[in-house]
Each structure stands twice: as structure tokens, then as C-alpha cells.
Amino acid sequence: MVSKYWKQTVIAAALFAVAGATCAAENIKIGSVLSVSGSAAFLGDPELKTLQMYIEKINAAGGVLGRQLELVHYDDGSDAAKANGFAKRLIESDKVDVLIGGTTTGATMAMAPLVDKAGLPFISLAGAVVIVDPVKKWVFKTPHTDRMAAEKVFEDMKKRGIGKVGLLSETSGFGASGRKESQAVAAKYGITLVADETYGPKDTDITAQLTRLKGAAGIQAVFVFGLGQGPAVVTKNYGQLGMGALPLYQSHGVASDEYIKLSGKSAEGVRLPTPALLIGAMLPAADAQKAIVTDYDKQYKDRYKIDPSTFGGYALDALYLSVDAIKRAGSTDKEKVRNALEQTKGFVGTTGVFNMSPTKHMGLDLSAFRMVEVKNGEWVMLK
């Protein structure tokens, strides 16, 4: 016969176990796979720093739905194969509620089939249009697309009377997609691509390709599509070859102060499209994004003693889009959160104003891009 004491002990232990399990389940798990090391580190590092800082801030203010946020992070080392493995771990072992990451397009596309199969809301921080076109049920993104970058650059070129352009793109996922999109939209803006060259993401010398571009008949400008350190190598080589008289355009893949530091004096005069964050102080007071970008700039500088980057801004937007969706869903039910993300309207972020729909899983338009130029080692907004 089981004693009364033993019964009470068993019941108490069971209640303790249930309470412990409930307590453990209270945290909302934000999964993250970012390129904090490797060739894309200067993109992934500020992304991770931003997530860490703002998750602490949200938790200090009481969390979300009365629950704390927990960041479960892995560094893919700028290796898409590793990103795939870490995504699988986040889904199967860590059982996260939302996934933020994919610093690069390659990493994002390596994770996309996994989140689709698992039914996990995923917000990418990478640029290629292929991430959201065609629309994937569970995949969203915060950066502008490479197609938008090409259109914004060609729009500026057309305004300046530039019609013959040399294209130089990286063979990575982002660069390859950017090349394809540039080729697709050039004619829309009266642009003829008179030369087309590529380089590898780990190349340390790109003078051969630039020399061929320099000699292309009638060339009026060069447009570079890449991210990480490659575009800075291109810019340095550009200066070494004395090509400064030929306008040099870059994509939003280099929209950070780190690009200027890596490129040195050769960056002078470079033009590119960027989110508002890069030139927050120059925005008029009435600009809808001014408050959020200036606040982020201050918070990041106060915490890390360095300037923030637009890439960190992509992570900030992804985090707050997730939080906003969870709040509107009233739970972490994955289908409800996904639906709430898809219904996002008028959400002001560092990257732009997001208006998503079943056919738009990014929700930005060209007005979210600002054209800038490097002058005296600083970013200056172009009119």
C-alpha cells in the first residue's frame, strides 16, 4: 500500500516538473544564423550586435506578451553549407519560434527549403530578389532587393545623361542575382551594358577585369554589384588604374562606413543607393524614418562606441517586425505569426516603410532608397 506521504511527494514532484516545463516554455525563442566571421563579417557582426542589444532592451521593458525573448544564435562563417546545418539545428533541436538571418543570399537560400518544410516564419537580411520572388510562404526579408538597387542606380544615371555602362559583378548569390536583374531592367532606363565582367568573392586583385572595362567602347560609367570586401578591392584597384574620371556606382551591398574605410581615398565620388540610416542626420524633420534611424544611431554608438551600419538596421527591422507580428497574433503560433507578418502595413523601420501582402514579402518601394555619394570621406545625400 502506497503511503500518504509518498503520494504527496509524487504529486509535488509532478507539479514541480510541470511548472518547470511551463517556465522553460515561457521564453520566445528568436533563432539567428548570421555571418559574424568570414568574408561577410562586416555585414553579420553589426547584425548580431543589434539583435543582442535590442533583445536586452525589449526584455528590460517587460518582454513580449509577458514573456522574455531568448536569442539562439549561430555563426555560419560566411559559408552557406554551414547555414543550412545551423538552420536545421534551430528547427529540430532548439525549436525556435522565429528565424532571423541569412546575412548573405547564399545562406538564405540554403535555409529557405528547411523553414518552408518546417513551417517556421523566417525573415532574411539578404538582398537578392530571388528570396521573395517568387513568393515563398514562410520567407520574408527586410533589405531592398537587388532589382530595386539596379533600378535606383539606372534612374540616377539616366538623369545624368549616362547611357553606356560597364557591369562588374561578384559571382556570389547576391552578385549573380544583381547581374541578372541589372541586365533585365537596363533597357527600361535607356541603359546599354557595353561590357560585362565578373570577379570572385575572395579575389584580391580585380585589375584585369577593370582594365577590360576601361577599354570598352563608349563606356560612361561602371556599376559594381557585390558585398563584403570585394567591392572595396574593386574600388582600390579603380584608383590604382587611374579610372577616377569614370563615374563608379556600387549597390546597397556596401552601404556602410566600413566600405569607405576599406576603400580609402579611392572611394571618393562613388555613388550608391542606401537606406535612410546612412544619412539619418541629413533627413528633414518631417521624414517618417528620421526618429527611428537617429535613435538607432545613438543607441548603437552609446553601446558599442562605433557607428552602426545599414546591415544592423536590417536586423533591427526584422526583430521588430517579428515582435509586432507576435503581438498582433497574440501568440507564437507559427501560422498566426506568419499571417500577421504578411498583413503588415505602414510599419516604419530603418530600411523604409513596410507594406506587405500575400504577393509582397518585403513590402518596400523605390522611395525607401536614397542616393548618396562619397565626398571628403563622408556620405552625402544626392538631390
Side-chain angles (χ1 to χ4, degrees):
M1 182 174 172
V2 180
S3 70
K4 181 179 180 182
Y5 172 77
W6 176 248
K7 286 182 179 179
Q8 289 175 334
T9 302
V10 171
I11 292 170
L15 289 173
F16 181 81
V18 171
T22 302
C23 192
E26 284 182 354
N27 285 352
I28 296 173
K29 289 188 175 183
I30 306 294
S32 173
V33 179
L34 302 170
S35 302
V36 181
S37 62
S39 61
F42 86 78
L43 315 180
D45 180 68
E47 291 169 351
L48 177 59
K49 283 183 167 69
T50 298
L51 290 179
Q52 291 171 330
M53 178 172 67
Y54 278 87
I55 283 176
E56 286 178 16
K57 184 179 178 181
I58 291 168
N59 285 340
V64 179
L65 302 181
R67 299 161 63 184
Q68 294 283 283
L69 299 183
E70 177 185 346
L71 180 64
V72 185
H73 166 68
Y74 297 105
D75 173 15
D76 64 25
S78 304
D79 184 331
K82 289 182 180 178
N84 176 280
F86 287 135
K88 188 174 182 181
R89 186 185 302 180
L90 287 167
I91 293 166
E92 297 179 358
S93 301
D94 300 313
K95 300 188 183 304
V96 297
D97 296 298
V98 174
L99 176 59
I100 293 174
T103 295
T104 65
T105 297
T108 294
M109 297 309 289
M111 294 189 281
L114 298 178
V115 299
D116 184 62
K117 184 178 179 180
L120 176 68
F122 174 33
I123 304 182
S124 170
L125 310 182
V129 70
V130 68
I131 295 167
V132 290
D133 186 7
V135 171
K136 301 164 188 62
K137 179 178 179 180
W138 296 92
V139 182
F140 300 80
K141 73 191 286 300
T142 53
H144 314 76
T145 67
D146 42 11
R147 181 183 300 165
M148 291 170 67
E151 291 200 89
K152 195 71 174 182
V153 165
F154 291 152
E155 182 181 77
D156 186 79
M157 288 179 174
K158 182 179 180 180
K159 184 174 69 175
R160 297 172 188 275
I162 296 172
K164 294 184 177 181
V165 178
L167 181 63
L168 176 59
S169 55
E170 189 177 290
T171 54
S172 67
F174 176 71
S177 180
R179 175 175 178 262
K180 177 183 176 183
E181 295 305 320
S182 296
Q183 292 170 334
V185 302
K188 177 181 175 182
Y189 294 89
I191 302 293
T192 300
L193 298 177
V194 297
D196 184 2
E197 298 283 341
T198 62
Y199 67 91
K202 295 182 180 180
D203 288 356
T204 57
D205 189 304
I206 308 171
T207 54
Q209 295 95 315
L210 287 172
T211 299
R212 289 192 290 272
L213 287 171
K214 185 179 180 181
I219 190 168
Q220 295 175 287
V222 172
F223 181 25
V224 181
F225 230 114
L227 52 74
Q229 296 183 16
V233 174
V234 171
T235 306
K236 280 186 173 181
N237 290 165
Y238 210 82
Q240 291 163 355
L241 289 171
M243 296 175 67
L246 196 63
L248 177 60
Y249 286 79
Q250 295 273 0
S251 75
H252 60 314
V254 301
S256 77
D257 290 334
E258 187 67 15
Y259 164 72
I260 298 178
K261 292 175 185 175
L262 290 172
S263 302
K265 293 182 180 179
S266 296
E268 194 69 14
V270 170
R271 298 172 193 146
L272 57 92
T274 176
L277 177 62
L278 209 59
I279 36 86
M282 304 175 204
L283 297 176
D287 193 293
Q289 289 181 262
K290 188 173 181 71
I292 189 169
V293 298
T294 52
D295 180 69
Y296 174 52
D297 182 77
K298 183 181 184 305
Q299 297 277 349
Y300 196 93
K301 285 178 179 174
D302 288 349
R303 172 70 174 267
Y304 298 113
K305 312 305 177 188
I306 54 175
D307 291 329
S309 80
T310 56
F311 306 101
Y314 299 151
L316 178 66
D317 291 347
L319 176 62
Y320 274 98
L321 280 166
S322 300
V323 167
D324 178 63
I326 290 169
K327 286 179 177 178
R328 285 187 287 114
S331 76
T332 52
D333 178 272
K334 294 176 177 58
E335 185 77 40
K336 290 180 179 178
V337 172
R338 191 216 75 87
N339 292 343
L341 274 171
E342 194 173 76
Q343 294 160 13
T344 299
K345 301 294 179 187
F347 182 94
V348 181
T350 67
T351 314
V353 180
F354 293 87
N355 291 290
M356 297 193 190
S357 73
T359 59
K360 295 180 180 178
H361 278 199
M362 174 191 60
L364 298 173
D365 59 28
L366 279 186
S367 67
F369 260 142
R370 322 296 171 106
M371 284 300 297
V372 296
E373 183 176 351
V374 180
K375 285 192 176 181
N376 299 317
E378 301 287 343
W379 298 109
V380 175
M381 186 161 55
L382 295 173
K383 301 297 183 183

